[in-house]
Amino acid sequence: MKCYILLAVLAFTFLQGYNAVLEVKGPSEPVLEGQDVTLECVDTESELNMSTVHFQRFSKYMKKWYRLETDQEYFYRRCFLYDVDVRREEDRLLLFIASIQSWSEGPYRCVSENSSAPDNSSQPLTIPIHYMRELAVHRAGLGYLTRYFNSVQDLKVQLGDDVELECTTSASEAPEYFWAKEGDDWILPSNKLKLEKVSDQSGGRYTCSAQSPTVRSLMKKRTISITVLPEEAAWYESTTGRIGLMVACAGLVLLVVVISMTAYLCRRANQRNRKGPIDDRSQKKPIYRSSVESLPSTAGDKQPLV
């Protein structure tokens, strides 16, 4: 009995030592969008021939894993992953991703072609990619359409007006916002800047900064210039007046187009209603000279109609 137990233990130990453990190693430092990234598939037990191992990437849209070094997946790689290159160097398996983007985060894994192994793939690895888009500054509290037209760089306001600016961006994680004015030593930790009853001293250059809370080197800035107009300035000279005029003109043009299309469709419908029944000549029978259906002539012509 002891002999059987010893043999079972030896067999289990042998099989456990034979089973290779695959692992995907990625960057140890934070990855910024646009950087080049290299992944390596390693066998922690040094039992496998790496020529029988390949990389795969999971498609969140197709809900399946794709191999990244076959001609059959060339179209997929070019359309969804862009520049990837699988390299085999001295029994090493590497995956090089050029200028990685947020949609190329993975997950990735390496898989052994040895189907007899109980677990022939590594744990999936997703690359955390840090990114931040360019900042946009617009007047706060506006609708989406007006906000789109009101993304400002040079802002003209009338004396005594209240001004509230909002700074926004799209990022991998919510950034920290700061406002500052050129020539002043104050810093406002917010994405909104509110100026009440602006005066001549309110004019100047204001800068909004956005910084990643985890990767401090990831930062974007946007500077705008505020000009305070005198009281006698016309309403349309201000930025708000010009934007309102543009929106009103766009609405007027749209109204003219709708009225024109309505008039055109109504005219077409009236013309169609005034037409008589369809004259289908294909349904008429020919009339021959010897036919009894010939009609008598009213103009002295004794020959029947043809």
Side-chain angles (χ1 to χ4, degrees), residues 129-161:
I129 301 174
H130 300 273
Y131 66 89
M132 184 181 298
R133 308 291 182 241
E134 295 298 328
L135 298 181
V137 177
H138 50 79
R139 300 287 291 268
L142 300 177
Y144 178 78
L145 181 61
T146 310
R147 178 184 297 184
Y148 174 78
F149 285 107
N150 208 24
S151 181
V152 295
Q153 185 169 359
D154 296 319
L155 182 63
K156 295 182 179 180
V157 297
Q158 291 184 321
L159 185 68
D161 283 354

Side-chain angles (χ1 to χ4, degrees), residues 149-200:
F149 285 107
N150 208 24
S151 181
V152 295
Q153 185 169 359
D154 296 319
L155 182 63
K156 295 182 179 180
V157 297
Q158 291 184 321
L159 185 68
D161 283 354
D162 293 336
V163 177
E164 186 175 4
L165 300 178
E166 186 175 4
C167 183
T168 59
T169 186
S170 174
S172 55
E173 52 186 342
E176 300 172 353
Y177 291 95
F178 303 93
W179 277 98
K181 182 182 179 183
E182 187 177 288
D184 291 355
D185 56 357
W186 58 264
I187 294 179
L188 176 65
S190 173
N191 71 319
K192 291 185 178 181
L193 173 66
K194 188 172 183 179
L195 304 176
E196 296 182 348
K197 299 186 181 304
V198 296
S199 61
D200 293 334

Side-chain angles (χ1 to χ4, degrees), residues 43 109 113 165 172 181 211-212 243 253 269 288 294:
D43 174 17
R109 73 177 183 181
E113 298 174 3
L165 300 178
S172 55
K181 182 182 179 183
Q211 188 175 32
S212 170
I243 295 300
V253 171
Y288 300 96
S294 300

Side-chain angles (χ1 to χ4, degrees), residues 222-240:
R222 179 73 180 271
T223 300
I224 68 168
S225 177
I226 295 181
T227 302
V228 180
L229 300 176
E231 292 182 353
E232 61 272 14
W235 66 270
Y236 54 81
E237 295 184 21
S238 65
T239 303
T240 304

Side-chain angles (χ1 to χ4, degrees), residues 13-22 42-50 52-53 91 112 114:
T13 304
F14 174 77
L15 291 175
Q16 189 177 25
Y18 179 77
N19 292 335
V21 179
L22 295 175
V42 296
D43 174 17
T44 58
E45 301 296 331
S46 302
E47 294 288 342
L48 276 178
N49 182 359
M50 296 305 294
T52 63
V53 180
D91 203 29
S112 170
N114 181 16

Side-chain angles (χ1 to χ4, degrees), residues 215-226:
V215 184
R216 308 306 290 180
S217 60
L218 184 57
M219 175 185 291
K220 298 288 184 178
K221 293 184 178 182
R222 179 73 180 271
T223 300
I224 68 168
S225 177
I226 295 181

